[in-house]
Amino acid sequence: MNFCTKIYLNILLSLFLGILFCTVFKYSLAKESKVLKIEIDSDVLVGNNFVKVYYDKGNSFNEEDIALASSRTFSNDKNKQVLLFKLGSDKKILKKLRLDFENFNEKEEIKILSLSLLNNDNSEVFLLSNDDVYRKISGIPNGLSISKNKLTVLGSDNLDPFIVYNILDCTNFYFYLTLILVFSINVFFFRSILNWFKLNLKDGYYGQLIVTLFFGVLFLKIAWVTFILLILTLYSVISFLLDKQKRIILKLWYLIYILIFIIYLFFGKVSKFEDLSIPIIFVLVSIVFLFRTFHIDIDKLQKDVVVIYTVLMSVIIITGILFLLNYGEFYDIDYLNYFVDDNIKLFNQKVFFWIKYSHSLFISSFFFCGFFFCVKQYQNKQIGKSLYLSYFIFTLISILLLGSRMMFFIFVLFCFVFFVVKSFKIRSFSLVVLWMITLSFLFFNICKIDQNRCRLWKMSYNAIEENTSGFGINSNVNVLKERKHLLGSMFTELPKENHSHNQFLTDIIELGIIGFILKFLLWTVLGYYLFRFSEETYFYIYIMFLYIMIIESPFQTATPSNFYVFIFYLSLIREKKVINNQLI
């Protein structure tokens, strides 16, 4: 059975098991009446006149489709009171709960100790305690603030204080659905994964194995990415020390990352080691490749990355279908309204809930980098047409489901240029010119396109005018919290985002104008070396990265920093040679 056949069978099995699980789960929420049990601090005067519970019994959570639960109160502990609310059953799926605190006074504090939903036999549908009571609240509390595990009434005449819980988010639904996805993958790919590990370990390709794992763990918590990079760094150094020749091949482009790190040191106003958590990645990756004595088979690595990312994208497609056609109804979302307004921004994480790194643009960009590998492997006849077409389709669907407008624009733009232009130099020139046009257009029209980035960029301009020498590494977060930088703009509220969402503005704020110019020059030199000496695949990735830097700050977070810093170094392992002024 070939790989593509396994992929599509995995999709079918996962969808079958997922639909079956969702059906059983929803039936369990509709088959009988339930009881909501609330344990609350005894210092708070409670009762049906003070705490009311409404529950959703329709397709949308509004006044016409909710019912008021009957309640009773008892206390067997002087430190807490217990409220029991009976939720009637009318054979409709219970989707949301709403707790109203309508008779509480301004600044009065409410401390909920636990919240549980029980069946008639007292078995638990869910149990929330401690932090989870507040962490699982759906959306922003109305007329209430949350701090130190308590609710405080704001006292606004226009805001009736209440909180809403989505039943799905309070249960173990996503955990069990993840188990189903993992089970289906193991059915079709466990033996292949085991054989891959055995082959690499048997042949002593430890470095190859670790590098491949690095590209796989990017979707897990950053701790895993850091761990694999440290293991790779340690393995590279140990291999060098055990090598009899102990030869370091030092080339000019090897120093670019070290020089960028030095710029952070000199212009970043470093005050503590934690400030270097992102810049240190440049040093670690440099160590890996400077002391590397092990062989990396680039073709094999690219093919393995294509295979891994194909599986991951297939899972996104599976959960996307399940969400749009099944469990999305808990959030009043279906295939008709998911892609409109801001719904996709609010709910796309319900599609890739199983991915611990949850930035849709960067996840999409990783998959698109894999597409460049896929194109190269197909041209070299290392993979078949079915996998090539499947990866293309999966990439497009994944980008649409993840909802990154910029990545969709990049995908369409690059595909168009690739289809129309065949020459590498003309393609590259066209993409760079289009990048400059895109950069100019967004800088002059961002307020018409994206109000959030408009506010962030205007605040960044004001901060740069105030201090052209830079505020220091990681200062971007604090700068955007200062209300004085809102002056002169049309905005009155501070942004919720924690950085400028533009790498160039971020660098100027943190490193100052001189530091930014030096870093940008080094980044341009790296681009020249990629264009001149690496495979064209990596230069396309470099250009794509330039597009991303217009609307995001990749070096503000560790995962994209690790990925792109590593991949650009990796790209120069197998250099093109220059013979008679021609690249071969």
Side-chain angles (χ1 to χ4, degrees):
M1 189 183 301
N2 64 35
F3 175 73
C4 283
T5 302
K6 290 180 180 180
I7 279 291
Y8 288 108
L9 287 176
N10 173 60
I11 292 175
L12 292 175
L13 178 60
S14 296
L15 285 175
F16 172 75
L17 295 176
I19 291 172
L20 182 63
F21 168 68
C22 290
T23 302
V24 172
F25 181 84
K26 288 192 287 188
Y27 173 74
S28 69
L29 294 176
K31 68 176 182 178
E32 59 185 20
S33 61
K34 294 180 172 35
V35 173
L36 181 69
K37 180 181 177 182
I38 304 175
E39 293 184 350
I40 196 165
D41 195 307
S42 61
D43 291 339
V44 178
L45 182 61
V46 296
N48 195 45
N49 291 329
F50 286 86
V51 180
K52 294 183 179 180
V53 172
Y54 296 90
Y55 56 98
D56 190 344
K57 62 173 186 175
N59 294 323
S60 57
F61 201 66
N62 55 51
E63 294 299 328
E64 295 179 357
D65 294 320
I66 62 175
L68 177 63
S70 59
S71 71
R72 63 188 179 91
T73 305
F74 71 90
S75 176
N76 53 12
D77 188 329
K78 65 178 182 179
N79 295 319
K80 66 181 179 183
Q81 295 190 60
V82 179
L83 284 72
L84 297 178
F85 294 87
K86 186 174 182 180
L87 284 58
S89 174
D90 53 6
K91 305 304 180 183
K92 292 183 179 180
I93 301 168
L94 179 63
K95 300 174 185 175
K96 297 187 180 87
L97 297 169
R98 174 174 145 178
L99 278 59
D100 278 45
F101 308 95
E102 57 187 36
N103 291 324
F104 282 81
N105 299 318
E106 184 178 356
K107 296 183 179 180
E108 192 167 356
E109 294 179 351
I110 307 163
K111 189 172 184 180
I112 301 174
L113 304 176
S114 71
L115 187 73
S116 57
L117 186 64
L118 308 174
N119 291 311
N120 284 335
D121 59 0
N122 285 329
S123 61
E124 292 177 349
V125 178
F126 68 76
L127 170 62
L128 304 180
S129 59
N130 302 322
D131 293 344
D132 283 343
V133 172
Y134 305 94
R135 191 167 56 86
K136 297 289 187 178
I137 292 175
S138 180
I140 302 173
N142 195 76
L144 295 161
S145 64
I146 302 177
S147 62
K148 297 180 181 179
N149 287 354
K150 64 183 178 183
L151 299 168
T152 303
V153 179
L154 297 178
S156 172
D157 294 334
N158 299 322
L159 293 175
D160 294 327
F162 68 82
I163 53 177
V164 175
Y165 290 93
N166 190 296
I167 298 297
L168 216 60
D169 294 333
C170 296
T171 66
N172 291 322
F173 173 84
Y174 289 106
F175 172 76
Y176 290 120
L177 187 55
T178 301
L179 291 182
I180 289 172
L181 298 172
V182 172
F183 169 77
S184 183
I185 289 174
N186 282 325
V187 168
F188 295 101
F189 298 107
F190 179 76
R191 182 174 295 180
S192 299
I193 295 171
L194 195 61
N195 289 337
W196 179 82
F197 273 100
K198 285 182 178 179
L199 182 63
N200 280 284
L201 293 173
K202 180 181 178 181
D203 295 337
Y205 297 148
Y206 306 118
Q208 182 89 21
L209 187 149
I210 299 172
V211 171
T212 307
L213 286 177
F214 174 82
F215 284 96
V217 300
L218 289 164
F219 302 88
L220 304 178
K221 290 183 178 179
I222 185 56
W224 282 101
V225 182
T226 304
F227 174 73
I228 294 297
L229 181 58
L230 289 174
I231 291 293
L232 186 59
T233 305
L234 184 63
Y235 177 73
S236 186
V237 172
I238 292 174
S239 300
F240 173 79
L241 294 176
L242 295 177
D243 185 56
K244 293 181 179 180
Q245 294 182 345
K246 292 184 175 59
R247 183 177 60 180
I248 297 178
I249 302 176
L250 189 61
K251 298 182 180 180
L252 178 61
W253 60 266
Y254 280 20
L255 299 175
I256 292 175
Y257 282 176
I258 301 298
L259 292 174
I260 290 176
F261 179 76
I262 292 173
I263 288 173
Y264 276 108
L265 282 179
F266 274 90
F267 295 93
K269 300 177 181 177
V270 179
S271 59
K272 54 186 182 297
F273 183 76
E274 288 78 6
D275 292 338
L276 298 174
S277 58
I278 298 297
I280 202 70
I281 295 171
F282 290 94
V283 177
L284 292 176
V285 173
S286 297
I287 292 173
V288 169
F289 288 96
L290 280 172
F291 293 97
R292 180 184 64 90
T293 58
F294 57 89
H295 174 68
I296 299 178
D297 187 331
I298 298 297
D299 288 327
K300 185 177 184 301
L301 176 63
Q302 290 182 356
K303 186 176 180 180
D304 287 342
V305 170
V306 168
V307 168
I308 293 170
Y309 287 4
T310 302
V311 174
L312 293 176
M313 287 190 292
S314 72
V315 178
I316 287 179
I317 293 171
I318 292 164
T319 53
I321 293 173
L322 290 174
F323 179 74
L324 295 180
L325 300 181
N326 203 304
Y327 68 88
E329 68 176 281
F330 283 88
Y331 307 93
D332 303 322
I333 295 293
D334 57 27
Y335 64 93
L336 295 175
N337 61 2
Y338 177 72
F339 298 99
V340 300
D341 300 326
D342 291 328
N343 285 344
I344 197 166
K345 292 182 180 180
L346 294 173
F347 297 107
N348 59 6
Q349 292 191 18
K350 303 302 178 184
V351 171
F352 59 98
F353 60 87
W354 48 276
I355 296 178
K356 294 302 179 182
Y357 179 67
S358 57
H359 198 297
S360 60
L361 182 142
F362 291 127
I363 293 173
S364 302
S365 75
F366 299 160
F367 291 148
F368 196 37
C369 288
F371 177 66
F372 290 121
F373 292 163
C374 187
V375 171
K376 186 67 176 180
Q377 292 298 300
Y378 178 67
Q379 290 173 345
N380 293 340
K381 298 183 179 179
Q382 298 291 320
I383 61 173
K385 190 174 183 179
S386 57
L387 177 54
Y388 170 67
L389 293 176
S390 295
Y391 196 99
F392 173 82
I393 295 170
F394 285 10
T395 304
L396 176 59
I397 296 175
S398 296
I399 290 174
L400 290 173
L401 287 172
L402 294 176
S404 172
R405 294 174 294 176
M406 187 62 175
M407 274 312 304
F408 180 72
F409 168 75
I410 293 171
F411 180 84
V412 172
L413 180 67
F414 274 60
C415 288
F416 174 77
V417 172
F418 274 50
F419 180 77
V420 173
V421 182
K422 303 303 178 183
S423 166
F424 167 63
K425 289 185 177 180
I426 298 177
R427 274 181 184 173
S428 301
F429 177 77
S430 302
L431 289 170
V432 170
V433 170
L434 289 170
W435 173 79
M436 290 188 289
I437 294 173
T438 303
L439 178 66
S440 302
F441 176 79
L442 288 178
F443 263 96
F444 287 109
N445 297 279
I446 191 64
C447 291
K448 299 177 183 178
I449 301 171
D450 190 326
Q451 288 292 304
N452 285 331
R453 281 187 173 81
C454 176
R455 172 167 43 188
L456 293 167
W457 290 10
K458 284 185 178 295
M459 290 184 69
S460 299
Y461 300 151
N462 291 338
I464 292 169
E465 288 180 3
E466 178 188 324
N467 185 359
T468 57
S469 63
F471 293 86
I473 296 177
N474 298 328
S475 62
N476 199 196
V477 176
N478 295 323
V479 166
L480 294 181
K481 290 180 180 179
E482 296 184 24
R483 185 166 292 277
K484 63 181 179 179
H485 295 135
L486 280 171
L487 297 176
S489 70
M490 64 181 123
F491 302 100
T492 57
E493 296 295 326
L494 290 171
K496 297 177 182 178
E497 294 81 3
N498 59 358
H499 59 83
S500 298
H501 282 253
N502 177 292
Q503 187 61 55
F504 307 113
L505 292 175
T506 299
D507 283 340
I508 297 173
I509 289 173
E510 296 188 349
L511 303 176
I513 293 177
I514 296 176
F516 161 73
I517 291 173
L518 292 174
K519 181 184 174 184
F520 185 75
L521 286 175
L522 287 173
W523 205 251
T524 305
V525 172
L526 176 64
Y528 169 78
Y529 270 88
L530 290 171
F531 174 78
R532 193 82 172 88
F533 299 110
S534 76
E535 293 180 353
E536 50 191 66
T537 295
Y538 295 97
F539 186 67
Y540 295 143
I541 294 175
Y542 174 85
I543 298 176
M544 181 195 71
F545 189 65
L546 291 180
Y547 278 87
I548 291 174
M549 287 199 291
I550 298 175
I551 51 90
E552 275 296 344
S553 302
F555 295 123
Q556 286 293 108
T557 50
T559 297
S561 299
N562 276 284
F563 179 84
Y564 286 105
V565 169
F566 191 90
I567 205 169
F568 293 141
Y569 231 123
L570 183 70
S571 66
L572 292 163
I573 286 180
R574 189 168 63 189
E575 297 182 28
K576 294 184 285 191
K577 294 180 173 54
V578 181
I579 299 179
N580 296 329
N581 293 324
Q582 291 187 340
L583 295 175
I584 62 172

